Every structure is written in C-alpha cells, then in structure tokens.
Amino acid sequence: MVASEMHPFAKTGGLADVVGALPRALATLGHTVDVVLPRYRGVAAGETASPLAVRLGAVMVETMTSEVADGPTRVILVDHPPSFDREFLYGPSSGDYEDNAARFALLARAALAWAARQGQRYDVVHGHDWQAGLVPVLLATEHADDVQLGHLPTVFTIHNLAYQGIFDASWAERLGLHPRALGTDAMEYWGRLSFLKGGIAFSRVITTVSPRYAAEIQTPEFGFGFEGVLTGRADDLVGILNGIDYDQWNPAVDPYLPKPFDAARLDDKAASKRALLVAAGLSPTQDALARPLVGIVSRLVAQKGFDLLATLGDDLGALDATFVVLGRGEAAFETFWRDLAAAHPDRVAVRIGFDEGLAHLIEGGADIFLMPSRFEPCGLNQMYSLRYGTVPVVRATGGLYDTVEPYNPATGSGNGFVFEDYTAEALVRTLRHALRIYRESSAWRRLQLAGMTRDCSWEASAREYVRVYERAAGGRTGA
Ligand code: ADP
Ligand code: GLC
C-alpha cells in the first residue's frame, strides 16, 4: 500500500485510521502488507535506514528509507527532510504547500523503487487517495515493460473525491511524467493535471469507502466534475464500507475513559459523561448530568455541515442540550464555535485542536454524536459512536446512510436519527426529535443497544478487499 497517512504515525483524518487498520485485518486473513508512508516531522520510529535514490524530472533525489514492523505488516518510512520535515502534512489551513505535486511524486517513485528492490514480492499494489495517484500512472507508463514491476496489478481507493490533487500542467516536465500519462484519458483535467484522475484512469479496480458513496460520485451533485470519468469506469468501481479498529475503539478497554463500559454495563457510561464535562471545563452538576450531551469531533470544514451549524447559533444555544466540540479547520468555523461557547459558557464548550484522548472521551461521554455532513464518503465517528452507545444524528449521505438506521417510533427499531435535506431546519428538527426521545429512557436504551451490537468490524470488509485484489490480479486492465 502507498498512502500519505497511517495511524499511529501520521493522521489528519479517517484515511489514517483505515490505513492503520486494514493491513492488520488483512493479516488475520493470512496476507502480508507493506505500507510506504512519508516520514513527517515527529515520526521517530524505524532505526536502520538505507539510501534510495529517486528521479524527479532532471533531478536525482536522495532519500533514506527505514522499516518498522507492526506484527506482520511492515511500514516503510520515506525520509526526505526538505519534503516531509514540515509543520503540517499538506500545508497550513491557509492553503496547501506549493510543491505538493513534487512531494507526493517523490512518495510514489520511492514506493516503486522500494518495491523493485524487493524482487517479485508483491501480488498487488493498493494506492490511497490522490497522494498515491501517481503509483498506477507510473506503473502503467514508465514501468510497463519492467521485469520487476511491469506485472503489478493496481487497486486505487478514493477516500474523498473532493481532494483531486490538481496541479499546473508545467509539473509534467518537472516530475518527468511520460507522455502517455498526460492525455485527456489520463491525468489531463481542464488543461491541468490531476493525480486523482491518473489514479482512477490507470488502476484495474477502483474502490471507494461505502456502497452509497460509490453510487453518489457518479452523479453531478457528488462527482465534483469527476462523474463522467467515474461512470466511464462504473464496472470497475466498488464501494466497500470501512470497518473500525475494534482494539483501538472499544469502550470496555479504552484507556482514555475513566471507567470501562459495554452493553452489559451501560450505566457505567455516566462516569465518562462526568469526566467529559470536567475535561471540557463545564461543571458536572445534577442538571448538567441529566441534560443530553451532544458531541462533535471533526475537521471544521463545510463538508462536515459546519456551514449549516454556523447559521444556527441562537437555535443551538436555546436547545435543552450541552455541546462539546473538538476540531480544527477553517478559521470562520473556529470563530463561530468560540463565540457560541463565550455566549453560553455553561452549555457549550469547544476545544480547537487535535486531541486523540479527548476524541475518545467525547465518544465515551456524549449521549448524542452530531454529524450533519453535506457529503461523507464513509465517516468513522458515527461508527465509533454506535460502539460507544452514543446515538448518532446524521444526514442521509454516503457512509452515514449505509451505517445509521433511522429510529422508527412505531417499532422502536433503528440505531440513530437521520435527516435528508441539507438544511438548517431539517438538522434542528431532527436534533430536537433525538433530544425528546432521550427523555424516554427505555426507547433510548434500545437505540443505544442497537448501535452497540451492530457489526462494524473490519472482518467482512477486509474479505471484500481480498476479493478486489484477486479480481485486479486476474482481471482485465484499466486505461
Ligand atoms: P474525515 O476523514 O473526513 O475527517 P472520518 O470520520 O472518516 O472523517 O475520520 C475522522 C477521524 O479523525 C476520526 O478518527 C476522528 O476521531 C479523528 N479526528 C478528527 N478531528 C479530530 C480532532 N480534532 N482531534 C482528534 N481526532 C480527530
Ligand atoms: C475521508 C472521508 C471519510 C472517510 C475517510 C476514511 O477522509 O472524508 O468519510 O471515512 O476518508 O475512508
């Protein structure tokens, strides 16, 4: 696998969780995975380093690679401090680093140079998101006739179509891309180059992270200009729902919770609620403990519904609920939540930043998890919430649609609350409904238990990936 994030080495979002967990799930099915990842600032793991020279256009770049073992999985860290020893993975919130094309071309070339050095060890190469998009491109063009790499089938996973790796056409020369990589059936995108389009065009099988999203991205509403490219590959496009890592996200053993709980000891969840209120700087009064607590852990971007929430300041403050928000992202959304917390200091708490421990405590201590995404390829937090007895309130899109089953008052079935229209009214109406049902303790308990007993493990999904790898290895080629 080639990826730009992997838990616990480097993470900005769910990609890291998936690349951290899928190799382990594949290992339990008997497969061996090597993952190639940049060595970003602060990644200390991996001792013996060996040099690896990589060509970028006219320049030879000297990198160092080191290996880290994670059970049967090997992680290969590509070390090139000018490219990767930086404060952020992709750039500050004001914009991406200007040389991201070169940084991730370096990752792709280093991964293939590494692979070539291993001999014919690999059955399939799996790239994740645009940052790995050049891997299938390079394999199908400049490496097509290689003894070592020419045979390698490719699988490419789209975790989020909104990020397309689009760069000025002048990069083609600087990166030394083959003319076959540049055509309109390849990386060319409205006069520029898209790493994502290259990944799609040259991979044998394309996957995305939920069945619903696989269908959505073939429409103009969710395709972000790629719907034509994707409908053209519809036969090779497969939606596989992400799993969650049952070891990392398990309320019965979670070290970030003050007291473990599970379906048989659900009353012990109250200890996490109290600890969360305290951690958020809110007093754990009887009132506060009785009032439903709504948690949010998210990148603060419009994709996640923060533009809707930002129109709702007074309405949120007026609800019979406490809000605890953890996230970072666009300055305007950070300011909105800071202002709301200042206006309702007893009801709203916000932590701007990235804090893994607090993310776990929110899943453990909240009653409701709010995820009103405009689009959501899969989404992991709603599944963490289900497992932690924290009832999700979500919009019916992508992986949220595939994992959260709406509460049906007539039968009591369901595991969460779902709204369809991407409007502030629909969001508030659904949140109010959830807050009402919260007061009906037996209905609420049923909702919690339905979530906690849903299978969100990686096992079934890892088997689907194996089928996709087999299909890529035996099936017809892409572009
Ligand atoms: P996305 O990848 O689009 O951000 P996902 O729901 O797939 O959305 O995954 C988000 C992951 O990142 C989850 O593991 C979530 O807990 C984590 N996360 C997001 N923001 C923060 C934060 N501010 N602090 C800690 N963890 C965060
Ligand atoms: C992306 C998506 C998210 C998905 C994650 C892991 O970041 O936005 O929905 O869960 O990738 O696949």
Side-chain angles (χ1 to χ4, degrees):
M1 289 190 194
V2 184
S4 60
E5 299 188 21
M6 178 182 188
H7 184 82
F9 302 98
K11 168 165 171 173
T12 68
L15 170 65
D17 297 30
V18 171
V19 178
L22 176 57
R24 226 173 297 142
L26 290 167
T28 64
L29 299 177
H31 303 280
T32 312
V33 183
D34 288 352
V35 185
V36 183
L37 184 78
R39 178 189 288 285
Y40 299 103
R41 177 171 298 175
V43 179
E47 279 152 29
T48 46
S50 64
L52 186 74
V54 171
R55 177 174 289 285
L56 274 192
V59 189
M60 283 308 284
V61 182
E62 298 294 335
T63 72
M64 298 294 278
T65 54
S66 33
E67 293 173 37
V68 189
D70 174 16
T73 303
R74 279 196 304 184
V75 181
I76 294 96
L77 295 162
V78 178
D79 198 3
H80 183 250
S83 296
F84 301 124
D85 183 9
R86 300 188 187 178
E87 189 177 354
F88 301 99
L89 269 55
Y90 311 123
S93 58
S94 54
D96 290 344
Y97 292 129
E98 288 189 355
D99 59 347
N100 275 351
R103 297 172 74 222
F104 293 104
L106 186 66
L107 175 68
R109 283 237 166 81
L112 294 179
W114 164 272
R117 201 191 262 177
Q118 308 308 301
Q120 302 218 343
R121 176 183 161 85
Y122 300 109
D123 300 306
V124 64
V125 183
H126 183 175
H128 296 270
D129 273 352
W130 75 260
Q131 291 88 347
L134 279 192
V135 170
V137 175
L138 299 174
L139 282 171
T141 56
E142 60 197 64
H143 291 294
D145 301 320
D146 277 16
V147 179
Q148 301 283 22
L149 302 177
H151 69 290
L152 272 178
T154 42
V155 171
F156 184 73
T157 297
I158 301 168
H159 293 264
N160 193 335
L161 193 63
Y163 302 96
Q164 304 179 336
I166 293 180
F167 303 100
D168 192 81
S170 62
W171 280 103
E173 194 184 334
R174 281 181 277 173
L175 303 178
L177 297 177
H178 192 282
R180 272 235 310 131
L182 308 177
T184 49
D185 59 344
M187 293 178 73
E188 193 275 342
Y189 192 69
W190 299 102
R192 298 199 282 167
L193 295 176
S194 163
F195 280 32
L196 182 74
K197 191 174 169 214
I200 294 169
F202 288 102
S203 294
R204 287 197 193 162
V205 184
I206 302 136
T207 76
T208 187
V209 288
S210 67
R212 178 74 170 189
Y213 193 61
E216 285 174 345
I217 56 180
Q218 298 181 52
T219 68
E221 186 186 353
F222 296 98
F224 288 100
F226 272 58
E227 57 275 14
V229 174
L230 289 163
T231 44
R233 295 296 308 274
D235 290 348
D236 301 319
L237 175 61
V238 181
I240 303 177
L241 198 64
N242 289 330
I244 61 172
D245 189 321
Y246 267 27
D247 298 327
Q248 299 279 333
W249 294 92
N250 178 358
V253 295
D254 190 326
Y256 295 111
L257 304 185
K259 192 171 188 185
F261 65 88
D262 55 25
R265 293 170 293 170
L266 199 41
D267 289 338
D268 289 344
K269 185 171 160 68
S272 289
K273 183 169 182 177
R274 171 183 289 274
L276 175 58
L277 287 167
V278 173
L282 302 168
S283 331
T285 57
Q286 280 310 320
D287 265 6
L289 288 165
R291 193 184 303 135
L293 198 161
V294 180
I296 294 181
V297 180
S298 185
R299 294 183 292 119
L300 301 184
V301 295
Q303 175 200 338
K304 301 291 181 178
F306 285 94
D307 52 351
L308 282 190
L309 290 167
T311 65
L312 280 173
D314 293 337
D315 299 289
L316 295 179
L319 290 172
D320 173 30
T322 305
F323 286 84
V324 176
V325 178
L326 167 65
R328 64 176 181 195
E330 285 173 33
F333 299 137
E334 294 183 355
T335 305
F336 166 80
W337 282 99
R338 281 206 181 95
D339 291 350
L340 196 65
H344 304 275
D346 57 329
R347 292 287 186 96
V348 181
V350 57
R351 174 86 61 86
I352 302 298
F354 195 90
D355 183 335
E356 183 143 342
L358 185 57
H360 282 252
L361 188 57
I362 290 175
E363 292 295 1
D367 299 299
I368 290 172
F369 193 89
L370 182 58
M371 215 163 158
S373 305
R374 178 187 290 272
F375 64 95
E376 195 60 74
C378 179
L380 298 172
N381 278 303
Q382 83 281 11
M383 291 194 271
Y384 302 149
S385 301
L386 291 172
R387 190 130 203 257
Y388 281 65
T390 302
V391 176
V393 173
V394 306
R395 175 151 182 269
T397 184
L400 299 174
Y401 175 94
D402 284 337
T403 54
V404 181
E405 192 198 328
Y407 173 64
N408 179 339
T411 61
S413 69
N415 59 25
F417 295 84
V418 179
F419 64 100
E420 298 276 338
D421 295 341
Y422 190 69
T423 62
E425 295 71 48
L427 191 169
V428 172
R429 196 182 329 116
T430 307
L431 194 50
R432 282 217 182 90
H433 184 203
L435 295 171
R436 264 199 319 277
I437 303 302
Y438 175 80
R439 300 291 178 192
E440 296 176 19
S441 46
S442 63
W444 194 258
R445 186 56 66 109
R446 218 167 29 232
L447 274 164
Q448 289 180 294
L449 292 174
M452 294 178 94
T453 50
R454 186 187 193 282
D455 182 6
C456 296
S457 72
W458 263 107
E459 203 193 319
S461 301
R463 286 184 200 282
E464 285 189 61
Y465 275 104
V466 172
R467 278 196 290 277
V468 161
Y469 298 147
E470 284 167 348
R471 179 172 153 198
R476 64 190 178 83
T477 48

